[in-house]
Amino acid sequence: MEPGWGHVIVVEAISEGEGKKPTQPKVLAGARAAPSADCEGVADYVELLTAMDKPRHQRHREAQEWVYWGYDPEECDLKALNRALDRAQQAHR
């Protein structure tokens, strides 16, 4: 079994909101998009990224389907990340 995904989270500040309660956590910046849920690990993701740029790659057509459906490996969707943080915080209340 290969290792899982690694993430680095840096807390830049903790501030108080109204009524001296901490404010909602918020992602301010990020790098790259998350892999598709059907990616089988880091090696599979790297292979699909390679296949996107190489027309002769055996998985190029599969990788192009990701692009067709709007996948951009360079895009970090901050709105989606912040919605996920909101849901996670609400689930722990």
Side-chain angles (χ1 to χ4, degrees):
M1 178 181 230
E2 76 179 69
W5 305 103
H7 304 279
V8 175
I9 298 173
V10 177
V11 176
E12 292 185 351
I14 298 174
S15 60
E16 293 179 350
E18 295 177 25
K20 303 288 183 186
K21 289 183 175 180
T23 58
Q24 287 285 111
K26 184 175 183 179
V27 178
L28 302 175
R32 304 200 66 156
S36 168
D38 60 345
C39 247
E40 296 179 9
V42 175
D44 189 43
Y45 181 59
V46 170
E47 182 180 3
L48 283 169
L49 290 178
T50 301
M52 283 180 164
D53 294 329
K54 299 191 181 220
R56 294 183 182 264
H57 193 284
Q58 66 186 22
R59 293 182 73 186
H60 181 72
R61 185 175 300 225
E62 176 186 353
Q64 290 301 85
E65 287 178 14
W66 283 24
V67 173
Y68 175 79
W69 292 107
Y71 182 77
D72 178 357
E74 298 302 322
E75 180 183 323
C76 180
D77 188 343
L78 296 178
K79 286 182 182 180
L81 289 171
N82 283 312
R83 283 192 304 268
L85 270 176
D86 289 344
R87 284 191 307 271
Q89 186 167 10
Q90 289 174 8
H92 285 29
R93 287 184 178 172

